[in-house]
Structures are given as structure tokens and as C-alpha cells.
Amino acid sequence: MTSEITLFVNPTAGSGRGARAAQPAASALRDAGFSVRTVLGEDADDALRRAREAVAYGTGALIAVGGDGMMSLALQAVAGTSTPLGAVAVGTGNDFARALGLPIRDPAAAGRLAAEALKAGTARAIDLGRTEERWFGSVLASGFDSRVNDRGNRMRWVGGRFKYDLAILAELAAFRPIPYRLRLDGGPVTEIEATLIAVGNGTTYGGGMRICADAVMDDGLLDVTVVGDCSRATLLKVFPKVYKGTHLGHPAVTVHRVSSIELAAAGVTAYADGEPLGALPLTATCVPGAVRVLAP
């Protein structure tokens, strides 16, 4: 193991928490005897290029400082390599770090945990989801939830989580069930009408909503949560249950565990780890042990 560690920093994460978090995380790593260099980028493409260069040059670990968007970028750099990934979670959602049991908005503690795992050589292998375009660690969303994201991203005149609350209300008013076509593990194509279909390697999205509450990150499978055709009134009753994961017991909800899923629906954008993937159709596959993480 090389003693040089790369901090991969999003300075704008969490209204500037990313830049502020880098220093205590770096201090914790240096106190443990590691040499730390910082990688930033002019934009996402430039940041990813620099992160991939650090991995190619043999950095001892890539430690992402930011939110789920930064974790997603980091996954693109380390997935399929032997370079371990650490997380200093200081963004808005932090679902990837939460699923791994890592400190949230405590950069010094996150830095210490990463250093301890590196010194002990206890990086943990976990699965990732893989589409044609991208690796994902948490959840791939499509349907009502992704349309809320679409609408929220268009609402430039309001900021923070409030805009997504407004987007939920607007999407509820306009909601119609979505005709999907799906194929599980290469089986027959099934046509269904559903409110949303979420594909989980991890358990949560949206800052703690347990949409795939029983997903396990090292079981070699993806959890597919299907919320079927339901009325607005039923959706309003079911949706709050997502925060505790108790929605999985509702008759409108079914769960499948698969190694791959083909998903198609007209006019639906997919999001993975909170980042837009593009319009359906797509195929998502579980890749066992795709990344080593500095986590308990």
C-alpha cells in the first residue's frame, strides 16, 4: 500500500461544506502518517479525468469529499480497479455513505475511519450496479420519483429541498400510471403499469428514503422495488412509509431480487445515485465485488 492518498473534492457540495470538509479529513489522514494530495476539477468531466489519472498512477486510495454526486464520479474512477474508495460525506443526500454505515457530515471522523481501514488492510468489497453508461452504488430511479427530479431541476427560481416538495405536489397533480416493459434475468418481457420502479444496490435515495429497504450491498443481486398502479390517495399514503421502509408491505408494492433487469418506458428519464442517466430503455446489471470501500 502506498502512503499517498488522494482527496477528491467537490468544493461546492452542501453549500460549500465540501471545501471546508477537506481540511479536517486531510488532517486526520496526515496524523495517521499518510501523504495527502487534493484533486479538484474545473467541471465534472475534468474532475473525473483527474481522478482516473490518480488511480492509474497508483494512489493508495481515492477519498471522495462531497455528496452523492461526488461519490458517483469517484465510482466511475475506481470501479473494477484495486484502488479502495473512501467517503467523506458532506452533501445533501449522502445515501451511499449512509448505506455503508459511514459518518455523515463529520469529516474528521470519516478521515480517521478511512485511515484506520487503510492501516488495517480491511477494505470491504461490495457490489455495484452497471448500466451501459455508468456504475452506480445506491439506487437507480425511474417513474414518479425521476419525474419529480426532472421537474425540480427545472425549477431555477427556488432552491433547496423546498423545490422538491413543490415538485412532488406538481407531479401528483399531473400523475398518470406509466406503462413499463421489463425483463428480469433474461426471462420473458412483462408489460405492467406502475407508479415507479427503483433498482437498488443500496437501500436509500433522496437523503434517506428506504425505497429498497432490504437491499444488501454484497449479495450479488439488485433489489427491484415496483410500486404498481395506484391512485393519488394511495400514493400519498404509501410515500411517507418509504422513510422507514414499511412501504414494502403494501399490496401495491412488489420486490424482486435479480442479477439483471431490462427496463423500458416512453418519456421516462432514469437517475442513478441522484444523477441523470438519460431516457429509458436501459439494462442494469449487478457486478459482484466491483469496488473496495473503506467502511466498517
Side-chain angles (χ1 to χ4, degrees):
M1 179 195 72
T2 177
S3 63
E4 182 179 89
I5 304 303
T6 301
L7 279 186
F8 186 39
V9 181
N10 179 0
T12 64
S15 302
R17 281 194 296 266
R20 294 192 297 272
Q23 185 173 351
S27 294
L29 287 159
R30 290 190 180 107
D31 289 346
F34 293 97
S35 171
V36 179
R37 65 185 292 262
T38 300
V39 167
L40 300 132
E42 296 177 2
D43 53 31
D45 290 340
D46 183 55
L48 179 55
R49 178 185 63 79
R50 292 169 186 260
R52 283 176 167 155
E53 286 178 352
V55 171
Y57 292 156
T59 186
L62 186 71
I63 300 180
V65 183
D68 284 320
M70 203 62 179
M71 304 307 157
S72 177
L73 270 184
L75 285 176
Q76 313 316 308
V78 300
T81 77
S82 61
T83 303
L85 173 66
V88 178
V90 291
T92 302
N94 304 310
D95 288 294
F96 185 67
R98 183 178 287 106
L100 292 170
L102 295 173
I104 304 296
R105 301 194 184 99
D106 188 344
R112 288 193 297 270
L113 188 150
E116 289 165 5
L118 283 167
K119 284 193 162 186
T122 55
R124 169 187 167 196
I126 64 167
D127 309 333
L128 292 177
R130 175 72 177 169
T131 70
E132 297 89 340
E133 301 295 328
R134 193 180 303 172
W135 298 93
F136 65 94
S138 297
V139 175
L140 186 155
S142 74
F144 176 77
D145 42 9
S146 63
R147 287 182 170 172
V148 168
N149 261 320
D150 285 341
R151 186 180 290 269
N153 290 340
R154 294 194 300 267
M155 296 169 66
R156 307 292 185 186
W157 49 275
V158 61
R161 295 199 63 85
F162 179 60
K163 74 175 178 180
Y164 290 101
D165 293 337
L166 292 177
I168 287 172
L169 292 174
E171 283 301 319
L172 277 171
F175 178 72
R176 298 289 185 278
I178 298 166
Y180 280 94
R181 297 185 308 281
L182 68 155
R183 185 196 302 266
L184 305 177
D185 284 337
V189 173
T190 302
E191 296 187 357
I192 62 170
E193 290 202 339
T195 300
L196 64 86
I197 297 178
V199 182
N201 181 60
T203 53
T204 68
Y205 65 3
M209 291 189 286
R210 297 176 58 81
I211 187 68
C212 297
D214 294 334
V216 178
M217 298 181 86
D218 59 1
D219 65 351
L221 297 171
L222 300 169
D223 276 33
V224 179
T225 299
V226 179
V227 179
D229 181 5
C230 57
S231 66
R232 291 186 186 89
T234 299
L235 185 57
L236 282 169
K237 290 179 182 178
V238 173
F239 206 75
K241 298 177 183 289
V242 173
Y243 287 96
K244 293 185 177 180
T246 54
H247 64 293
L248 297 183
H250 193 278
V253 179
T254 56
V255 176
H256 310 272
R257 286 196 172 91
V258 302
S259 58
S260 69
I261 177 173
E262 299 171 37
L263 194 58
V268 175
T269 301
Y271 284 74
D273 294 341
E275 300 296 309
L277 276 178
L280 298 183
L282 61 74
T283 299
T285 303
C286 183
V287 182
V291 68
R292 296 167 62 229
V293 292
L294 302 175

